Amino acid sequence: MSQAVVALGLAAVTASGCVWYVPALADLRARADRPVSRRTAAAACLSGWSTAGIVAVLLLVAEAWWIPSAAAGAALTAALRVRAAVQRRREMREAARHWAELSRQVPRPGAARPSRTVVAVLLGAGLAAGSATAILRVAAGPGYGMDWLAAAAVSAAVVGLFLTLAIAHTRTAGRGAAGRTRRPQ
């Protein structure tokens, strides 16, 4: 097979390779909008396709120069591609480290005590205080039928106060927990 036929085939393959080297050229022109690894990979793509184009021309013009040109272009393309892979791996590790820092749970002061315990203590204390108030009110002396009603109203008010505190605590604790992210395990 003559070199002219090989040059023609290589030129046709190089021309059809535009689906790879045109986007690579766009990546290089985007500069800082693309990651460094992507720009290096684009440079490797362009060097490989330009090597193929240069070799196609050298096959027609000079008989012996196409071999060292092809070897140099292939070496440059391989070196750039390896460098792009190393950069990509470094970027992925850095991104993973950043995501890990973002997903860490930040401890808040006062968040160490469980919310269930606080609610149970508030409800228990409210019921005990309400019962004690009713018992003391009744034991204070004999009275008319209205002492029972007053004792029940005062004890219900004390229980209601503690119940309100428990509900306020659960709502406050719930809002704080919704703002935090859970740590993946």
Side-chain angles (χ1 to χ4, degrees), residues 8-178:
L8 182 62
L10 193 55
V13 168
T14 303
S16 66
C18 67
V19 295
W20 288 288
Y21 61 77
V22 171
L25 185 61
D27 283 344
L28 280 180
R29 291 193 61 184
R31 294 186 185 152
D33 288 343
R34 303 287 191 273
V36 175
S37 64
R38 189 164 171 181
R39 288 181 289 177
T40 307
C45 178
L46 286 174
S47 71
W49 285 108
S50 63
T51 298
I54 291 171
V55 167
V57 171
L58 287 177
L59 279 170
L60 291 175
V61 176
E63 289 186 18
W65 284 100
W66 69 271
I67 296 173
S69 297
L76 177 66
T77 302
L80 284 173
R81 191 63 192 126
V82 168
R83 183 175 179 201
V86 169
Q87 289 171 339
R88 175 73 174 153
R89 189 175 310 128
R90 189 177 305 137
E91 289 169 356
M92 293 297 289
R93 272 187 269 143
E94 183 180 354
R97 188 176 65 243
H98 287 198
W99 279 109
E101 288 176 11
L102 285 174
S103 66
R104 284 193 186 139
Q105 183 178 2
V106 180
R108 293 183 315 152
R113 52 186 186 179
S115 180
R116 291 180 185 173
T117 305
V118 172
V119 171
V121 167
L122 284 172
L123 288 177
L127 290 174
S131 299
T133 303
I135 290 171
L136 287 175
R137 183 80 172 149
V138 170
Y144 306 96
M146 299 303 281
D147 279 343
W148 285 100
L149 184 60
V154 170
S155 65
V158 171
V159 170
L161 174 70
F162 277 92
L163 185 61
T164 304
L165 290 174
I167 290 171
H169 175 75
T170 57
R171 286 188 179 169
T172 305
R175 248 185 267 131

